[in-house]
Amino acid sequence: MRIRRGALRHRGRAIVAIAVAGLLVAGCGTRESDASVPGAQIASRNDGTEPADTSPEVTPAGGSQNVPSDEADTERDDDDDDADATSTTTSTTTTTTSTTTTTGTTLPPAVDAPRPIRSFPATTAAFDRLAGANAAASITVVRGGEPVVAAASGVTVDGTAATSDSPMVVASVSKIVVALGIARLIDQELVDADEPYPWAAVGLEPDAGWADVTVRELLDHTGGVPKVQEAWFTGDGTCRDFVPALLTSPPTGDRGRWVYSNGNYCLLGLLIEQRTGLPLDEGLQELVFDPIDLDGFHQTLDGLLPGDVPHEEGTDRLSRLGGAGTLVASTDDLAMAMARMTPMDRWVLRAPGVFTDQYGFGHTGTITGAKACVWVLEDGATVVAATISGNSVGSGGDICDIVVPAVASDLGLGSAKPDRTP
């Protein structure tokens, strides 16, 4: 969360102040769980209470774990098989695209919290659990438009202590940010969700069978885009270089049915680039983060920057994903962006394009070495974003299974394991 304008640049210090205040409220003592996590920086108030544990087992850092092979997200989050083999050889082509001019988005006020919550003990305990088992972890809870929990552990690339404002690889959580970008373009009447995807304007020449596939179908994973899990990670080139290979045949017979594929959001990322005339991260900056005066996120195409949290597996293998999974973002920025949704954002971010459960909706992200979760509760009044650098759990869904019930418990909404769909 890097505040873009001078008068707001002290927000990061305010989060530190929250941390200090939380320690003072706790009686100036250090919790045993905090002391066991080197480098953890906590910003919440806690009375030490923890709900019954119904979340997945977390493997300690350095211990054995069942880690999926180089993949897009598992557990219904991403391509979970390699049913259709696709060549990993790509060729870079020169394309000509037209661009349009975007205008600024005016955001509504943050949703008011229905009642004050003075402490988040279960949430803090959930973070401690993740921080103790991974090289780095981060969590941010925003309620009523303000951060109420901000915690991080580990170090950044340049060796400084990580904070909840330190960007991390978030894998398929990138998709919900891209969906926000598409929503802003729809709101500006630069995209029509129910009209066919503008293949020619984007510079693509697919099989004729793709001509009537709509933007909404791509948002919802119902357009018949093939699933090619491993091929996203096993070759060079970008989304634009790779995605034409998926379009040489008509949509699969699954068109009209939800089948999760990275190709959908690779294509939506290209649409954002075409409509804004900017690289994807700059287009999303303009559409999503400028309206809330935040910056600091970027794509893995740039590699990791000094202030980012390291990703042990390296970022080169993510280059083909584009809008499906190349963003590097902090939990602060993710939570704040989701806390300021417009009515159009809410119309776009609906099932099956996002996952839902009894607490709300959101998205997860899973690749080897990084897991992420962002979830909206209380009809938008509360948002939690959590990421790890490590493999202590098998998927971003497992991260949600740990942090979402914890936040819900602190809010008095129950603590049952999320029942996500689709």
Side-chain angles (χ1 to χ4, degrees), residues 286-371:
E286 181 179 281
L287 294 165
V288 177
F289 294 103
D290 277 354
I292 51 176
D293 297 300
L294 299 178
D295 66 7
F297 91 108
H298 62 97
Q299 287 185 270
T300 55
L301 301 179
D302 306 325
L304 292 181
L305 304 179
D308 297 340
V309 172
H311 178 61
E312 183 178 351
E313 302 295 323
T315 59
D316 289 347
R317 67 195 185 96
L318 308 179
S319 64
R320 290 181 168 185
L321 290 168
T326 61
L327 297 189
V328 184
S330 71
T331 56
D332 282 358
D333 289 359
L334 292 171
M336 289 298 291
M338 297 301 297
R340 297 295 303 278
M341 288 185 292
T342 69
M344 182 59 72
D345 296 341
R346 288 171 173 261
W347 181 78
V348 169
L349 270 61
R350 66 189 192 195
V354 297
F355 308 131
T356 61
D357 67 8
Q358 68 269 41
Y359 301 114
F361 69 91
H363 214 291
T364 65
T366 305
I367 56 173
T368 301
K371 315 291 183 288

Side-chain angles (χ1 to χ4, degrees), residues 233-248:
F233 299 89
T234 55
D236 297 328
T238 65
C239 160
R240 177 173 290 280
D241 299 325
F242 178 67
V243 77
L246 307 183
L247 307 174
T248 56

Side-chain angles (χ1 to χ4, degrees), residues 29-40 42 128:
T30 301
R31 301 193 326 277
E32 180 179 351
S33 57
D34 291 348
S36 66
V37 184
I42 310 294
D128 289 344

Side-chain angles (χ1 to χ4, degrees), residues 1-3 11-12 15 147 164-165 294-295 330 332-333 336:
M1 181 192 294
R2 292 167 175 80
I3 308 301
R11 175 66 66 84
I15 294 177
S164 56
D165 191 28
L294 299 178
D295 66 7
S330 71
D332 282 358
D333 289 359
M336 289 298 291

Side-chain angles (χ1 to χ4, degrees), residues 158-174:
D158 62 7
T160 61
T163 73
S164 56
D165 191 28
S166 300
M168 299 177 70
V169 172
V170 298
S172 278
V173 165
S174 302

